[in-house]
Amino acid sequence: MTDIAEETPEQAGGETGAAIEALYLEERRFDPPPSFREQALVTDRSLYEQAEADWVGFWEAQARELDWFEPWEKALEWELPFAKWFVGGKLNVSHNCLDRHVAAGLGSRIAYYFEGEPGDRRTITYADLLADVQRFANVLQSLGVRRGDRVGIYMPMIPELPVAMLACARIGAAHSVVFGGFSPDALRDRMNDAEARVLVTADGGWRRGSVVHLKGNVDAALTEAPCVEHVVVVRRTGDEGGGPAPMVPGRDHWWHELMAAAEPSCDAAHLDSEELLYLLYTSGTTAKPKGIMHTTGGYLTHVASTHRYVFDLHPERDVYWCAADIGWVTGHSYIVYGPLANGATSVLYEGTPDFPDKDRWWSIIERYGVTTLYCAPTAIRTFMKWGSEYPGRHDLSSLKLLGSVGEPINPEAWMWYQEHIGGGRCPVVDTWWQTETGGIMISPLPGVTTCKPGSATFALPGIGAEVVDDAGRPVERGGGYLTLTRPWPGMLRGIYGDPERYRDTYWSRFEGRYFAGDGAKVDDDGYLWLLGRVDDVMNVSGHRVSTAEVESALVDHPAVAEAAVVGARDDTTGQAVVAFVTLKSGEEKSTERGEALRGHVAARIGPIARPKAVIFTDELPKTRSGKIMRRLLKDVADGRDLGDTTTLADPAVVEEIRKLAETRATEE
Ligand code: PRX
């Protein structure tokens, strides 16, 4: 099953003093393809220049693209670390996403092509969405929800999910969406922290051909969440999979029954620009999850503007697909709010990429003529592992632009995406941002920027990003810590109920700067390269080496599909590089192969980064949002006890890897 290659204890030593060393060199360049530029919204540096001349004024111009019931008096009020944007302005997010498009005669434009995992399809226009949102806003009010309240949402990827979110926004209640893959305990903690009064859910959802019983999880969670008075249940899976959990009289209500009885119209409330739009909890594995707060006017400005420019949106002809889950911030900003504010037509897909077969995504792209695909590197690497024959079965010629988000994208994954999905003709935008930033911060503009595979390139117009060293001094060339130097409209307004934690977490490490927690390097041309969380930096003989760079070097090898690298305790070198590697289908695991990979990393980056051990494994442990759990692999490599692994997508993977690592220990 496994073969492990170990290094003899010889490592180059020495101190360089760099905060994080930047060793990986990528020399490929990609200009915007001429056919893309010809039709692009932005083809020169004018937006950057406008923003540099007056960044607050730039954001004001972006905000003016929205409908405001009352104009703002002051664009930005900044009392570090607390920002208010468009102070005094009044608007409504659901009005901006729906009513104004319908009023402009676009009611029959398709907002979502919905495809359920079993193959059911629905086409939802802007007029349909507006009608449902108004009814559901009335349903929420009939259940006692008022402006300023919080509403929990725990649903599969079905159209009722954006309807519920927009209905909250319409009446000024904040939503708190909990990803449908989370456990009852996670749901309970989030409902209690937010003090949600109503929870919207479904009987179940479809995942890889089986029913996920969401309502059963809700019942378990609510035994210890007394704040929730009412539960609204969408009928999605019905009698399949053993049927729905019983309804609790007085507490539980069927969505379709309430909707049938609801009044059809509900005016959009005139909300203050700084009213809470939503809470979204970022899950730590140890500490209590943080309820990230996003408000109304600044957030919508940021997501609408970045969605338009980064994806070069032509709403009248594009079919846009962000394949994230709405339960994550990517889905909030780039499936719901950004695209709808811009009047875009999107795809909404419920299920997994390998049901019924590994070409499901490509069949969707062909069916709807998708022009823009936005997904995560973890998905791209999985597709690489499955092989290019699956996309090869379908006509993907409608695609014009590809995007990536969520993790550093290795140059080889970038290249594969560009070639096998984009047919070599689509720009690839690698977008860096966080739940906390609300919207995209660092990304190419696809008609302007020359891309380098694996680099998120530059801060977007209006955004200030700088890499600094340990002392907070800007680094002009080389590695360090990514910071943001000025407020931006989509920024988090705090952590719900905990302003001190907000200040400590983001604003205390470097004075006057937001610290993102990520390492980054600046290359000779000023391009930014994200190096992962700083907790993911290894210290090998005094050199701070980024796991992301070693992983990129491994994925660069033709046999490798995916790699996770950690620093394991080592008596000689402080930490030693240990690589967990998944090979492409059909590739052989052997000691020679391990040796070859170690040599490959040394050749690509330098002897300092040569892995001490290469452990082959069929899968890597990942969180449910698809990020590799390096911390867990580090525990495995160090032989430590593993704590709670329930936040993993597939806890069995860890057991498997632990066995492999034990084999390694006994072989040592
Ligand atoms: O480490 C960075 C990584 O994901 C973190 C934010 O995670 P989350 O709040 O879940 O939001 C993910 C979707 C926006 C960041 O601190 N990250 C996100 N995008 C990239 C990235 N790392 C490298 N390159 C990216 N494009």
Side-chain angles (χ1 to χ4, degrees), residues 149-166:
D149 287 345
R150 272 85 47 218
V151 172
I153 299 180
Y154 181 65
M155 291 172 89
M157 284 276 287
I158 54 176
E160 288 82 355
L161 170 50
V163 168
M165 293 164 77
L166 290 158

Side-chain angles (χ1 to χ4, degrees), residues 282 328-330 374 404-409 430-436 442 456 516-518 530-533 625 627:
T282 55
W328 311 118
V329 74
T330 308
Y374 189 34
S404 166
V405 59
E407 274 194 295
I409 179 165
D430 173 17
T431 63
W432 178 88
W433 58 294
Q434 307 178 298
T435 304
E436 291 88 340
I442 301 176
D518 283 342
L530 275 302
L531 300 176
R533 309 292 301 166
S625 68
K627 291 191 209 298

Side-chain angles (χ1 to χ4, degrees), residues 118-450:
D120 51 321
R121 293 175 201 152
R122 278 160 64 187
T123 300
I124 297 138
T125 65
Y126 275 88
D128 295 337
L129 207 51
L130 176 58
D132 281 356
V133 166
Q134 294 192 74
R135 278 187 186 273
F136 198 64
N138 286 328
V139 166
L140 288 174
Q141 285 178 329
S142 74
L143 296 175
V145 177
R146 298 285 171 264
R147 184 168 170 178
D149 287 345
R150 272 85 47 218
V151 172
I153 299 180
Y154 181 65
M155 291 172 89
M157 284 276 287
I158 54 176
E160 288 82 355
L161 170 50
V163 168
M165 293 164 77
L166 290 158
C168 290
R170 197 163 187 87
I171 60 174
H175 54 72
S176 173
V177 179
V178 178
F179 171 55
F182 274 138
S183 64
D185 286 0
L187 178 62
R188 174 201 63 204
D189 292 348
R190 286 158 175 74
M191 291 303 103
N192 282 329
D193 192 76
E195 296 168 291
R197 299 186 61 181
V198 168
L199 177 56
V200 187
T201 189
D203 50 359
W206 289 102
R207 195 168 169 79
R208 204 163 280 126
S210 307
V211 173
V212 179
H213 289 283
L214 293 171
K215 175 59 168 46
N217 289 349
V218 165
D219 291 343
L222 294 194
T223 57
E224 294 174 62
C227 51
V228 176
E229 297 157 27
H230 294 284
V231 178
V232 183
V233 188
V234 176
R235 178 131 69 198
R236 169 70 186 139
T237 47
D239 295 333
E240 304 276 355
M247 301 291 271
V248 176
R251 188 195 73 177
D252 298 351
H253 316 268
W254 285 110
W255 169 289
H256 56 273
E257 289 176 3
L258 295 182
M259 287 291 269
E263 289 295 322
S265 70
C266 172
D267 286 343
H270 292 205
L271 301 180
D272 192 85
S273 175
E274 281 297 336
E275 254 172 272
L276 190 63
L277 176 64
Y278 68 79
L279 297 176
L280 185 58
Y281 286 81
T282 55
S283 47
T285 42
T286 47
K288 180 171 171 263
K290 303 185 283 252
I292 302 299
M293 295 162 67
H294 284 294
T295 59
T296 301
Y299 173 81
L300 195 66
T301 299
H302 187 163
V303 298
S305 155
T306 49
H307 181 255
R308 180 180 320 119
Y309 292 124
V310 171
F311 298 108
D312 189 55
L313 185 76
H314 296 263
E316 66 293 345
R317 60 163 208 245
D318 283 350
V319 178
Y320 162 88
W321 184 20
C322 169
D325 193 287
I326 294 178
W328 311 118
V329 74
T330 308
H332 280 58
S333 298
Y334 297 107
I335 298 177
V336 181
Y337 293 119
L340 294 178
N342 289 331
T345 296
S346 297
V347 169
L348 187 67
Y349 170 56
E350 177 187 27
T352 56
D354 54 353
F355 189 87
D357 200 355
K358 296 188 172 78
D359 65 344
R360 182 66 182 266
W361 279 26
W362 321 123
S363 79
I364 290 175
I365 289 178
E366 184 172 23
R367 179 168 319 113
Y368 302 105
V370 170
T371 57
T372 314
L373 176 65
Y374 189 34
C375 68
T378 180
I380 299 164
R381 292 188 302 254
T382 302
F383 297 135
M384 283 172 82
K385 187 164 77 178
W386 290 344
S388 54
E389 63 269 26
Y390 294 101
R393 285 183 196 164
H394 295 275
D395 176 5
L396 305 182
S397 61
S398 57
L399 284 170
K400 120 192 155 174
L401 178 67
L402 303 173
S404 166
V405 59
E407 274 194 295
I409 179 165
N410 324 97
E412 284 320 304
W414 193 103
M415 289 300 302
W416 187 90
Y417 194 29
Q418 200 256 6
E419 262 171 59
H420 293 282
I421 307 304
R425 63 176 191 281
C426 304
V428 177
V429 290
D430 173 17
T431 63
W432 178 88
W433 58 294
Q434 307 178 298
T435 304
E436 291 88 340
T437 70
I440 300 172
M441 304 293 279
I442 301 176
S443 163
L445 286 183
V448 182
T449 314
T450 297

Side-chain angles (χ1 to χ4, degrees), residues 547 551 554 562-566 578-582 620-621 628 630 633:
T547 55
E551 286 162 10
L554 284 163
E562 195 159 29
V565 166
V566 299
V578 175
F580 295 84
V581 171
T582 306
L620 294 171
I628 297 171
R630 287 185 194 73
L633 290 172

